[in-house]
Amino acid sequence: MTSTGDQPIGIFDSGVGGLTVLAELRRQLPAEDFIYLGDTARLPYGNKSAGVVTRYAFENTLYLLDQGVKMVVIACNTATAGSLDRLQTHFRRSILGVIEPGAHAASEASRSGRIGVIGTTGTIASGAYEKAILNRRPGAVVHGAACPLLVPLAEEGMMDHPASGLIIRDYLQPLLLKDIDVLLLGCTHYPILRKAIAQQLVDGVRIIDSAGATAQAVREDLVRQDLLRNSMGRAGTCRFLLSDRHDHFRHLAERFLDGPVPDIELVTY
Amino acid sequence: MTSTGDQPIGIFDSGVGGLTVLAELRRQLPAEDFIYLGDTARLPYGNKSAGVVTRYAFENTLYLLDQGVKMVVIACNTATAGSLDRLQTHFRRSILGVIEPGAHAASEASRSGRIGVIGTTGTIASGAYEKAILNRRPGAVVHGAACPLLVPLAEEGMMDHPASGLIIRDYLQPLLLKDIDVLLLGCTHYPILRKAIAQQLVDGVRIIDSAGATAQAVREDLVRQDLLRNSMGRAGTCRFLLSDRHDHFRHLAERFLDGPVPDIELVTY
């Protein structure tokens, strides 16, 4: 079965975090159709082991491939860290993650080479960002910090609550002591809390997230495979699939995508 | 297949919350053997729908029954609210939940009849506590408040962090305005945060949790079925099964059970 440009792009995350990647994909690739799958029945992924997250990532990928997508974007750092290599080994279609693009963007943005990375327990424990950054910039010094409560805070829409500020401050303190000049948001949920994170930083530290760089990597892969969609003037569409009902999904989706979202479909797999 | 007193009691929760019930069961029933199952691969349950939680509760119950337990205790309010009736309908063995015992304890403890209940989104949305309390005390006025972040805070061991206090204060504020005299902890995780919760209460409000009353209900059911274990002087044992690795499980288990815990077994089902 060969792919065609008319097929949609599949994208998955444990919940709402991948919406920050989807928003950038739609901005850079407005002619493409997307199917977004949020595995809300098993969220969050960040405090689960690589083995369990890999099992979920395989199931999500298979489900999207069965929907006829031409490519799968893992819009979740934990799942990328735990499973990207194995998914790329076993599936024919292109599978792209968010870690390489994020590492690239952070390496480019840092002047001093002292880079802080925040992510889930699983992402930080994997060391995937440190490895990817050092591949591109061997002299860099990478400091990681696990921030396990930021996903629940983002999922609950607590971006403006003072408790979020207190928790973020404690998580960032050790990184700021290392005199970093770039803070990489190594979790697709964290841009939801960008303002609260920025308020805890000192001057001269830039925040980088992987959404823009990931969308660029997706575009390059589609061009290479000659799979860009020929829009003929029609704007791309987006379907939203969730493995369970989610109280805040529509609100956050409309906020990030800057417009109304269509029906959200519940799926079991 | 008939049960005997020598079989263990099965108990499950999404994660560490059920340990607060297990601790009370071991205190009241020191001769019994227990198998504790934490479904850490799919935790938390509280923000998931009744349908999905019921699917997980069936799988947990079946797994425990396959281990040869004489009874299953659902040490999770969300799972009790969503699935107890169906589990009791379909399985032969006794299945006990935490809501009836908790409602009983709160009804007894309140003088004014104005009772506050805090729980997960799923538990509060179910209205199960209000129904159970009104069955026992028709004149009572029950005020519920969903506290979706308390499970992640408890799972991360944030009992002493100032952010927990801020979040708890916001959740409790509407209940305190209703002049309650009893606050029922309608989630087995919440006793982990009992001190932080108590600090946000006004004088004269009593905290009630369901652990003690649940252990009493378990004892009564075992007596009724003539299934109490004859210890012959041997202390009961406890096996711990988790569906995924959990960073804080051992620490919290040792804290709640007040002693070392044996090997934690990882299981897939």
Side-chain angles (χ1 to χ4, degrees), chain A residues 13 15-21 36 150-160 164 168 185 187-197 209 246 248 251-253 255-256:
Chain A
D13 176 46
V16 302
L19 291 169
T20 65
V21 178
Y36 184 95
L150 298 196
V151 167
L153 289 169
E155 290 278 341
E156 289 301 323
M158 298 274 282
M159 40 284 263
D160 299 319
S164 300
I168 290 166
L185 307 186
C187 172
T188 56
H189 282 74
Y190 295 177
I192 296 170
L193 300 164
R194 180 186 286 264
K195 210 177 93 194
I197 291 168
D209 72 57
H246 186 292
H248 307 284
H251 169 74
L252 285 165
R255 178 172 174 153
F256 272 88

Side-chain angles (χ1 to χ4, degrees), chain A residues 133-149:
Chain A
I133 291 170
L134 290 177
N135 271 345
R136 294 173 176 279
R137 190 163 169 172
V141 181
V142 181
H143 299 284
C147 306
L149 280 165

Side-chain angles (χ1 to χ4, degrees), chain B:
Chain B
M1 184 179 63
T2 55
S3 295
T4 75
D6 285 343
Q7 291 175 276
I9 295 170
I11 168 170
F12 76 82
D13 177 46
S14 62
V16 302
L19 291 169
T20 64
V21 177
L22 176 63
E24 194 60 36
L25 282 165
R26 302 222 333 156
R27 206 182 64 76
Q28 292 193 29
L29 298 161
E32 298 291 333
D33 292 333
F34 294 94
I35 300 179
Y36 184 94
L37 173 61
D39 188 13
T40 47
R42 302 185 288 197
L43 103 188
Y45 285 176
N47 51 3
K48 287 160 193 162
S49 67
V52 161
V53 170
T54 297
R55 197 168 82 219
Y56 297 165
F58 264 85
E59 290 169 12
N60 297 338
T61 299
L62 200 56
Y63 189 84
L64 285 169
L65 291 171
D66 285 344
Q67 306 299 306
V69 300
K70 62 186 172 186
M71 167 192 286
V72 172
V73 180
I74 310 177
C76 169
N77 288 266
T78 311
T80 300
S83 67
L84 179 64
D85 287 352
R86 289 187 62 204
L87 289 166
Q88 288 178 332
T89 300
H90 294 298
F91 287 110
R92 291 179 197 278
R93 291 270 192 284
S94 275
I95 319 270
L96 271 73
V98 286
I99 288 183
E100 281 294 334
H104 175 68
S107 301
E108 299 272 302
S110 175
R111 278 188 291 185
S112 69
R114 287 187 296 279
I115 297 171
V117 181
I118 56 175
T120 67
T121 305
T123 299
I124 297 301
S126 75
Y129 267 111
E130 183 165 16
K131 196 173 145 204
I133 291 169
L134 290 176
N135 271 344
R136 292 173 177 278
R137 190 161 168 171
V141 182
V142 181
H143 299 284
C147 306
L149 281 165
L150 298 196
V151 167
L153 288 170
E155 290 278 341
E156 289 301 322
M158 298 275 283
M159 41 283 262
D160 299 317
H161 198 282
S164 300
L166 287 182
I167 289 169
I168 290 166
R169 190 180 66 191
D170 279 8
Y171 285 147
L172 293 185
Q173 205 58 37
L175 295 182
L176 295 178
L177 291 173
K178 302 292 186 184
D179 204 21
I180 58 172
D181 72 346
V182 159
L183 178 70
L184 175 57
L185 307 187
C187 172
T188 55
H189 281 75
Y190 295 178
I192 296 171
L193 299 164
R194 180 187 286 263
K195 209 177 93 191
I197 291 169
Q199 281 167 353
Q200 303 302 328
L201 292 180
V202 295
D203 282 350
V205 180
R206 274 184 68 186
I207 294 180
I208 298 289
D209 72 57
S210 53
T214 299
Q216 202 176 320
V218 168
R219 163 183 281 281
E220 285 162 12
D221 192 85
L222 290 175
V223 168
R224 196 172 41 76
Q225 295 189 76
D226 196 20
L227 284 179
L228 272 179
R229 182 160 178 273
N230 183 341
S231 72
M232 303 199 275
R234 184 175 76 81
T237 62
C238 190
R239 281 175 66 200
F240 293 92
L241 316 180
L242 298 182
S243 57
D244 193 16
R245 197 202 64 208
H246 187 291
D247 289 337
H248 306 283
F249 189 85
R250 180 178 295 278
H251 170 73
L252 285 164
E254 292 181 343
R255 180 174 172 148
F256 271 89
L257 303 176
D258 209 20
V261 308
D263 284 349
I264 295 166
E265 305 163 48
L266 290 184
V267 295
T268 303
Y269 53 93

Side-chain angles (χ1 to χ4, degrees), chain A residues 156-175:
Chain A
E156 289 301 323
M158 298 274 282
M159 40 284 263
D160 299 319
H161 197 283
S164 300
L166 287 182
I167 289 170
I168 290 166
R169 190 179 67 189
D170 279 7
Y171 284 148
L172 293 184
Q173 205 59 37
L175 296 181

